[in-house]
Amino acid sequence: MSAVKFDEGRLMQVLVAPIVSEKATMVAEKSNAVTFKVLQNATKPEIKAAVELMFKVEVKSVSVVNTKGKTKQLAAKFKAMNLDHVLVIAEEVDENLYLASRNLVNVLVVEPRYADPVSLVHFKKVIVTKGAIDKLKEMFA
C-alpha cells in the first residue's frame, strides 16, 4: 500500500468512473490494467492511493492521459454545414455531446422532451436526429 498518507474523503472522490470501452477492455486483457476517469486535478500518487484503498490491490504504476474536448470539432462541423444559429434535438444527449456543445454560442442541444415551441421559433435552423423524430412521434401520438 502507499506510504504517503492522503485524506480518505478526497481519495474516495478521485476515481470518477471506470471507462468501459472496447479499447479499455483490450488494455485490461492484454496488460492487466484498469482504466478510470479521474478528477482533473488528481495527482498520480493520489490515483494510486485511491485505487489501492477502494480495491485492496497493489498498484505497480499509474499512467495519465489528458483528453481534449470535442468542442472545436463540433464547431467545425456546424460551420461546414453553415449552421451558426442552430437547435439540435437528439434522441439522447450523452455526456460527450453535452460537453462539446455547451460552450458554442447560439447552439442548443436538447432531448425531445425538452424541445419547446419558443426554442423552435428562436433558432434559425433545427436539426433533429432520426431517433428524436421517433420519440417525438411517440410523445404526440
Side-chain angles (χ1 to χ4, degrees):
M1 296 288 168
S2 297
V4 179
K5 295 291 180 187
F6 294 100
D7 176 39
E8 192 170 313
R10 161 83 175 158
L11 293 180
M12 296 303 282
Q13 296 175 347
V14 167
L15 301 179
V16 176
I19 295 178
V20 181
S21 67
E22 187 175 349
K23 183 176 181 179
T25 304
M26 288 175 21
V27 168
E29 291 172 354
K30 196 175 200 178
S31 60
N32 196 24
V34 183
T35 308
F36 290 99
K37 181 176 183 179
V38 298
L39 293 177
Q40 184 71 30
N41 60 355
T43 63
K44 285 183 177 185
E46 281 181 321
I47 296 168
K48 178 179 179 180
V51 171
E52 290 178 344
L53 173 70
M54 295 175 89
F55 299 101
K56 308 291 187 237
V57 295
E58 184 178 340
V59 176
K60 293 181 181 178
S61 67
V62 175
S63 298
V64 178
V65 176
N66 291 317
T67 57
K68 299 285 183 191
K70 306 294 185 219
T71 303
K72 287 182 181 180
Q73 292 175 348
L74 186 61
K77 286 181 182 180
F78 283 157
K79 187 174 182 178
M81 293 187 290
N82 197 25
L83 300 172
D84 57 347
H85 197 80
V86 64
L87 171 66
V88 179
I89 303 175
E91 179 180 11
E92 187 176 311
V93 180
D94 65 355
E95 184 181 14
N96 290 334
L97 180 57
Y98 166 73
L99 293 175
S101 66
R102 69 179 174 181
N103 293 326
L104 295 177
V105 180
N106 297 323
V107 172
L108 178 62
V109 178
V110 296
E111 293 179 359
R113 63 182 173 205
Y114 299 116
D116 62 285
V118 175
S119 295
L120 290 169
V121 173
H122 174 74
F123 288 93
K124 291 180 184 175
K125 297 184 181 174
V126 178
I127 296 177
V128 185
T129 64
K130 184 177 180 192
I133 290 173
D134 294 339
K135 288 224 174 173
L136 287 168
K137 285 179 181 176
E138 289 175 20
M139 287 171 49
F140 296 114

